[in-house]
């Protein structure tokens, strides 16, 4: 028997898993850390849609290999770890303030 995805470590994991489950149609309980995307039967189109949903939900751009559309993630843990790493990266600041204006 495999262990469930560690949830206590980061509350965002539950949000990520809920989005993956909703977008792929896979029961959230099946989204264990060592479960492979292939074994779960997640199609590449569903993975791409999942990545778009995660980006929209967290207002980030999740970097992936362009021609693989998320296929580079072998397991649920790899996908979750990648999303968390993206969320933890400092966001670039925008230069939307006028000269001389302190934001």
């Amino acid at each position: 028997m495999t262990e469930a995805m560690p949830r206590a470590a980061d509350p965002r994991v539950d949000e990520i898993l809920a989005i993956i489950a909703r977008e792929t149609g896979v029961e959230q309980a099946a989204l264990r850390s060592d479960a492979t995307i292939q074994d779960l039967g997640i199609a590449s189109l569903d993975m791409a849609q999942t990545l778009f949903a995660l980006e929209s939900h967290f207002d980030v751009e999740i970097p992936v290999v362009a021609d693989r559309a998320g296929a580079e993630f072998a397991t649920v843990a790899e996908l979750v770890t990648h999303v968390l790493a993206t969320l933890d990266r400092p966001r670039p600041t925008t230069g939307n303030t006028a000269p001389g204006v302190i934001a």
Side-chain angles (χ1 to χ4, degrees):
M1 176 174 252
T2 59
E3 290 185 34
M5 183 74 63
R7 298 172 192 274
D10 192 325
R12 299 173 297 178
V13 171
D14 280 331
E15 288 179 84
I16 294 167
L17 292 175
I19 292 167
I20 295 170
R22 182 183 73 231
E23 295 298 324
T24 63
V26 173
E27 291 289 328
Q28 190 166 341
L31 298 175
R32 299 188 167 296
S33 60
D34 62 345
T36 67
I37 304 302
Q38 182 177 7
D39 287 346
L40 292 170
I42 299 173
S44 59
L45 183 58
D46 290 336
M47 180 57 73
Q49 185 61 35
T50 298
L51 292 170
F52 289 136
L54 288 163
E55 289 177 331
S56 177
H57 179 80
F58 290 109
D59 192 28
V60 296
E61 184 174 326
I62 299 171
V64 295
V65 177
D67 62 346
R68 304 225 34 219
E72 63 267 33
F73 307 115
T75 65
V76 171
E78 288 178 11
L79 174 57
V80 170
T81 299
H82 185 74
V83 172
L84 290 173
T86 299
L87 295 176
D88 290 341
R89 281 190 200 114
R91 293 188 184 199
T93 57
T94 58
N96 290 341
T97 57
V101 175
I102 300 173

